[in-house]
């Protein structure tokens, strides 16, 4: 599991690589919590490097989605591989958390939303 953070257009992008499961979910949650604590409110989780996600990872993403929403922010997901997209769809998490085909598409939507205000 590896995490890297980069500035996006109107947001912060957390790039995740590896398997997202019970063993690695706490690491991702800590990364997201650090961003939240640092004042980031628009966060895109780039899942391009994630080939597997289990229910503990889903739960963690929903918890962090709610934490960001409570402070007026937004968590979005991007670049989900077919197996991960299937899990998001079957569990209807994709109806709660916005999922984009690419990090660039997510960044553009965040940027557009911020200019609408």
């Amino acid at each position: 599991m590896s995490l890297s953070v980069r500035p996006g257009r109107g947001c912060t992008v957390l790039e995740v690589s590896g398997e997202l499961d019970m063993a690695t979910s706490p690491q991702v949650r800590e990364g997201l919590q650090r961003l939240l604590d640092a004042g980031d409110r628009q966060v895109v989780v780039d899942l391009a490097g994630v080939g597997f996600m289990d229910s503990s990872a889903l739960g963690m993403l929903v918890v962090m989605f709610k934490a960001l929403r409570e402070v007026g922010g937004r968590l979005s997901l991007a670049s989900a591989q077919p197996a991960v997209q299937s899990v998001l769809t079957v569990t209807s998490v994709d109806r709660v958390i916005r999922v984009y085909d690419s990090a660039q598409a997510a960044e553009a939507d965040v940027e557009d939303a911020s200019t609408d205000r």
Side-chain angles (χ1 to χ4, degrees):
M1 163 65 54
S2 71
L3 302 176
S4 63
V5 176
R6 68 173 176 80
R9 296 191 331 252
C11 64
T12 302
V13 179
L14 177 67
E15 297 172 336
V16 182
S17 295
E19 294 190 352
L20 250 176
D21 56 24
M22 187 174 13
T24 59
S25 289
Q27 186 179 346
V28 176
R29 182 181 175 141
E30 288 169 14
L32 287 168
Q33 188 64 52
R34 276 194 301 275
L35 294 175
L36 181 63
D37 292 346
D40 291 296
R41 294 297 178 256
Q42 304 297 323
V43 179
V44 174
V45 178
D46 187 343
L47 299 170
V50 176
F52 173 81
M53 182 182 336
D54 73 5
S55 60
S56 63
L58 283 171
M60 174 273 300
L61 289 171
V62 170
V63 165
M64 294 311 297
F65 168 81
K66 289 179 180 178
L68 274 159
R69 187 179 63 191
E70 286 173 6
V71 296
R74 181 170 105 178
L75 176 74
S76 303
L77 305 176
S79 306
Q81 300 300 312
V84 172
Q85 182 63 53
S86 177
V87 170
L88 295 170
T89 302
V90 166
T91 59
S92 297
V93 168
D94 64 346
R95 292 178 177 212
V96 177
I97 303 175
R98 293 181 189 177
V99 182
Y100 297 88
D101 291 339
S102 68
Q104 292 78 17
E107 290 177 54
D109 192 46
V110 169
E111 190 174 53
D112 289 347
S114 67
T115 57
D116 288 346
R117 292 183 185 163

